[in-house]
Amino acid sequence: MAHDIVFFLAADDETAAATRLWGPGDAFESVACHFIEPDSAIAEWDMYFEEPSAEAPPVEQLLGWAWPKWVTAPSNDGVEVFALPKRLTRALANATSAELKELAGRWSTRLRSEDGDDMTDDDLLAVLQGVARLAASAVNTGGGLYSWSF
């Protein structure tokens, strides 16, 4: 489970990859959260918009979904930088508040079933709303949406 996760805007993969060592910091518009796995969150969000359902997907279905691509290959220090799929970025940018609320509930249910008391204490709806704002900005500027985690 990643300790610190930052979803952020960057002009392109090369710019996002340059954040690998120190994270995006104040130079990038971002939303931070803690104690989630960004790759499974990104896959679950993408799955939700492709196959909407209030129910959390079975683990086998989630594991079989297309996972986000690395912008920098993982190394022994645990730092990962992922690019969110363009279709997910567009879906988040256009998501209604009802869709974000339903997705947050579904995501929370899955995390609670997997992590129990160790589940993040972040407000998952607020995280999704923040990421959706970043997605709208990425769509408007032609940039990309990324996650950095440690």
Side-chain angles (χ1 to χ4, degrees):
M1 179 177 308
H3 183 266
D4 291 315
I5 301 90
V6 181
F7 294 95
F8 67 100
L9 294 177
D12 51 40
D13 288 359
E14 184 178 336
T15 304
T19 68
R20 189 197 171 293
L21 291 178
W22 307 107
D26 295 336
F28 297 86
E29 191 176 347
S30 63
V31 171
C33 57
H34 304 86
F35 305 115
I36 65 163
E37 290 294 344
D39 51 353
S40 64
I42 293 165
E44 182 170 358
W45 301 348
D46 188 44
M47 179 184 287
Y48 172 81
F49 288 108
E50 289 298 305
E51 301 175 6
S53 169
E55 300 298 317
V59 172
E60 305 80 36
Q61 185 179 5
L62 181 61
L63 293 176
W65 198 256
W67 287 62
K69 73 172 183 140
W70 278 299
V71 175
T72 60
S75 61
N76 292 338
D77 63 5
V79 174
E80 297 176 312
V81 180
F82 291 106
L84 276 71
K86 295 290 185 194
R87 74 178 183 190
L88 174 58
T89 301
R90 285 188 304 274
L92 284 165
N94 295 316
T96 66
S97 57
E99 287 173 318
L100 293 175
K101 186 174 181 179
E102 183 175 76
L103 176 54
R106 169 181 146 155
W107 185 29
S108 179
T109 298
R110 184 182 62 79
L111 291 177
R112 189 169 290 105
S113 73
E114 290 178 3
D115 301 337
D117 291 340
D118 292 331
M119 185 178 138
T120 181
D121 59 357
D122 285 317
D123 178 340
L124 298 181
L125 177 57
V127 170
L128 279 168
Q129 290 167 331
V131 174
R133 282 190 297 274
L134 292 176
S137 185
V139 167
N140 289 334
T141 63
L145 187 53
Y146 300 88
S147 76
W148 175 93
S149 62
F150 174 73

